[in-house]
Amino acid sequence: MSKTILIVGGGLAGTIVANGLCRQLGSELRTGAVNITMLGTTETHMYQPGLLYVPFGKIREAELFREQRKVLDRRVNFFVDPAKHIDVEKNQVATEHGRTIKYDYLVLATGSRIMPQNIPGMKEAGHWFYDLDGARKLRDAISNFQGGKIIVNVNAPHKCPVAPLEVTLMMHEYLKAHGLWEKSEITYTYPIGRLHALEPVAHWAKPEFDRIGIKYETFFNTESVDPEKKTIKSMEGVELPFDLLITIPPHAGAEVIDASGLGKGGWVPTNPKTLHRDGSTNVFVCGDTTNIPISKAGSTAHFEADVLIDNLVSLVTEGRFARDYDGKVFCFIETGLNSGTYVWFNYTTPPNPGPPSQMIHWFKLAYNRLYWLSARGLL
Amino acid sequence: MAERQTIDARGAFCPGPLMELIAALKLAQIGDEIEVLSSDKGSVNDIPAWVTKVGHANVGTTEKDGYWSVVVKKAK
C-alpha cells in the first residue's frame, strides 16, 4: 500500500522538503510505493527576504514571485486548500475545501505571520516590510519623507532576526544619499538589553551606530502606539515621538496549529535534534513552525529541511533514522546599501561575524536569485 | 488554572533566553509560571532585572549542573 507523506504549508520549508523527497524517492514515486501531497494557501511562492529591498526600490516586485506549481517538482500532488484541522491521533488532516487526507508521515511547515493588531495603535500608525502590502506602503512613506524622527521598532517574537538592523543601516544610507540625514534622526528600539540577540552582532552594531549617529533604546517592548500623538510607548515606561514608525511587528504561528491544539501561539513543541513533534513519531516540524529556541529564518528552515529529507527517506526505505539537526543557521547581513557581512552558528558553535565588504553584499544580491534553486532543492 | 511551562534555552545563541521569555509571557495568562533554562550566566541578572522593571514576579533562580533555572510568574 502506498505511503503518504503529507506536507502542510507551501513556503520555503515545505517546498524544499517536497522537492528534496522527490529527488531521493524517484523509484518509490514511480512504482507508487510513496506519494507526496502538499496543502498550500496560495498559488504563488514569495521570496520573503526580498521584501527588505522593496521600500528602497532595490528590487522589482516580479522578482519576488514564482508560480508554486512551477517551483514544485511535478510529482508533488499540490492543492491550494489550507488545512482546517490537523488530527495527529487519527493521522489525518481536514481542509477548508472539504478534503480529508490520511497520512503515514506528516510535515508541519505552516510558518509564521505578522500580528501588528496585537499592539494597540500599531496597525494604524506603523509601517513594516514583512509583507508585500506593508513594504509598498513603506516605500511610499519613505519617498514622501522630508526629514524628521524615524523609529525602527523591534518586537518579539519575530522572524529574520537581522532584518531590523539591515533596514536601519539601509535607511541611514538612503537618507544620506537623498540629502535628508542632516534633517533626520533614527532611533532603533530592541526588546532586550543590547542591540541584537546575537551578542557578537550586538557588539559590532553598537560602535557602528555610535559612529554614524543612530540612536538606540534597549529594553523596549512595545505596549502601545498613539496614532494621533505619533508616539510609541514601551512596557518599560519609555515614550518616544516619531514622524515615521518602521516596526517589526510581533509574530504568531499559523492559526490552524493553535486551533488543532498542537501548540500555543501556533508554535509546535518540537524535538530540537530529531524535529519530531513532541509526542509523535510520524509528525515532523520544519521552519518557523517549531518552538525550538533558535532564529526563525529561511536558512533555519533550509537546514532543517535537509535533515528532514534524509530522515524521511531513510525511514521510508530502510526503516531507520539518518541524522540529527545540529542547529545550523546562516544569515547574510546587509550593512548598508552597498556592503554586507554574514553570520553562521549552530547549537555548539557561537556566531562570529566578519568585517563587512562589498563582495558579500554582491553575493547576497546573487542569492536573491539563487533562492529559487534552494526552493527547488538544488542548492 | 495557572500553568507552568519550561523553555530550554540552553546553548541558544539567537534569539536567546530573555527574548524567548518575552515571547512566552505574551502568550501566558496572569498567574502562569515560566521556567527558563539558560547556560548563559548573564541570564541570572538580565532576566530578573527586566522582570522587575516591567512588573512581573521573580519566583527564583537556581544554579544547576552547568546551567541556571530562572522562574518567573506573569503578574499583569
Side-chain angles (χ1 to χ4, degrees):
Chain A
M1 195 173 154
S2 183
K3 284 192 188 309
T4 297
I5 301 174
L6 176 60
I7 300 164
V8 180
L12 176 62
T15 302
I16 294 180
V17 170
N19 286 335
L21 290 173
C22 286
R23 290 171 68 80
Q24 292 198 41
L25 291 171
S27 59
E28 288 79 5
L29 287 163
R30 202 162 39 249
T31 61
V34 169
N35 70 85
I36 299 167
T37 297
M38 172 183 281
L39 297 174
T41 58
T42 169
E43 294 279 3
T44 53
H45 187 114
M46 180 171 69
Y47 172 55
Q48 294 182 53
L51 290 169
L52 172 68
Y53 301 89
V54 171
F56 303 101
K58 290 279 185 181
I59 201 164
R60 286 178 294 113
E61 284 183 17
E63 291 180 63
L64 301 176
F65 294 98
R66 296 282 188 280
E67 279 180 53
Q68 176 69 351
R69 285 179 203 279
K70 289 186 178 170
V71 178
L72 279 177
D73 189 293
R74 61 187 165 76
R75 291 167 289 185
V76 177
N77 305 307
F78 173 58
F79 300 103
V80 180
D81 188 1
K84 189 176 172 187
H85 184 76
I86 300 163
D87 189 334
V88 295
E89 302 301 323
K90 292 183 179 167
N91 293 332
Q92 66 183 34
V93 174
T95 71
E96 286 189 1
H97 295 173
R99 291 182 175 89
T100 298
I101 302 175
K102 303 279 285 182
Y103 61 80
D104 295 282
Y105 296 102
L106 176 66
V107 177
L108 297 172
T110 44
S112 61
R113 60 205 164 113
I114 55 169
M115 304 294 284
Q117 64 273 32
N118 282 2
I119 294 176
M122 182 172 278
K123 200 172 173 187
E124 296 74 20
H127 284 88
W128 54 83
F129 57 95
Y130 272 57
D131 62 17
L132 182 60
D133 190 45
R136 284 173 174 164
K137 286 178 180 164
L138 178 56
R139 178 186 60 203
D140 295 343
I142 289 174
S143 66
N144 291 328
F145 187 74
Q146 293 302 315
K149 292 180 189 296
I150 297 173
I151 290 184
V152 179
N153 160 248
V154 188
N155 295 280
H158 71 93
K159 67 181 157 191
C160 205
V162 296
L165 277 180
E166 292 179 300
V167 78
T168 305
L169 295 165
M170 290 166 80
M171 193 70 218
H172 166 253
E173 290 204 357
Y174 174 92
L175 293 170
K176 271 176 64 180
H178 288 77
L180 293 168
W181 179 239
E182 300 305 322
K183 296 192 282 180
S184 304
E185 178 185 290
I186 300 177
T187 303
Y188 170 95
T189 76
Y190 204 69
I192 63 172
R194 55 181 186 246
L195 296 183
H196 195 267
L198 287 167
E199 205 167 354
V201 174
H203 285 163
W204 169 81
K206 187 174 180 299
E208 187 65 10
F209 276 21
D210 290 339
R211 184 181 69 80
I212 61 183
I214 292 175
K215 299 181 179 221
Y216 41 84
E217 185 74 39
T218 55
F219 284 125
F220 191 102
N221 288 278
T222 315
E223 185 170 272
S224 61
V225 179
D226 188 327
E228 288 182 8
K229 281 168 58 188
K230 290 200 158 191
T231 56
I232 182 167
K233 191 176 172 189
S234 75
M235 295 175 192
E236 292 83 357
V238 175
E239 192 166 1
L240 300 171
F242 63 82
D243 296 296
L244 174 61
L245 172 62
I246 302 173
T247 186
I248 286 72
H251 283 51
E255 206 170 351
V256 66
I257 298 295
D258 221 340
S260 302
L262 296 178
K264 207 188 274 186
W267 317 119
V268 179
T270 304
N271 183 297
K273 290 184 176 173
T274 67
L275 304 177
H276 276 112
R277 169 190 171 263
D278 285 353
S280 293
T281 55
N282 64 338
V283 180
F284 297 89
V285 196
C286 193
D288 291 354
T289 314
T290 79
N291 77 335
I292 302 172
I294 57 173
S295 311
K296 295 194 182 299
S299 73
T300 310
H302 187 155
F303 295 124
E304 288 175 349
D306 284 347
V307 172
L308 268 187
I309 293 162
D310 284 350
N311 286 335
L312 279 165
V313 169
S314 288
L315 283 167
V316 167
T317 58
E318 302 168 41
R320 66 175 183 85
F321 229 66
R323 63 188 172 105
D324 284 343
Y325 173 56
D326 66 357
K328 186 174 180 184
V329 179
F330 175 102
C331 294
F332 285 107
I333 307 173
E334 292 283 30
T335 52
L337 292 171
N338 293 296
S339 65
T341 182
Y342 69 92
V343 62
W344 83 268
F345 52 96
N346 62 21
Y347 290 143
T348 54
T349 312
N352 183 23
S357 73
Q358 193 173 49
M359 187 174 289
I360 298 173
H361 164 70
W362 285 342
F363 195 80
K364 169 75 191 281
L365 295 186
Y367 183 78
N368 288 342
R369 298 183 177 183
L370 290 171
Y371 169 84
W372 299 106
L373 296 178
S374 289
R376 287 186 170 93
L378 298 170
L379 181 70
Chain B
M1 192 177 147
E3 292 181 4
R4 181 175 174 131
Q5 72 172 100
T6 298
I7 300 167
D8 188 350
R10 288 175 290 179
F13 297 116
C14 181
L18 179 53
M19 197 88 101
E20 291 287 347
L21 172 67
I22 292 168
L25 279 166
K26 289 181 180 177
L27 294 172
Q29 303 294 319
I30 291 171
D32 287 356
E33 288 187 355
I34 299 172
E35 177 186 35
V36 183
L37 306 182
S38 174
S39 49
D40 175 8
K41 196 179 178 187
S43 301
V44 174
N45 297 320
D46 288 355
I47 292 178
W50 179 79
V51 164
T52 303
K53 195 169 186 178
V54 298
H56 295 302
N58 288 297
V59 177
T61 300
T62 315
E63 186 168 2
K64 307 268 186 177
D65 186 16
Y67 65 96
W68 289 265
S69 158
V70 185
V71 182
V72 171
K73 184 187 271 192
K74 180 160 176 160
K76 62 177 192 177

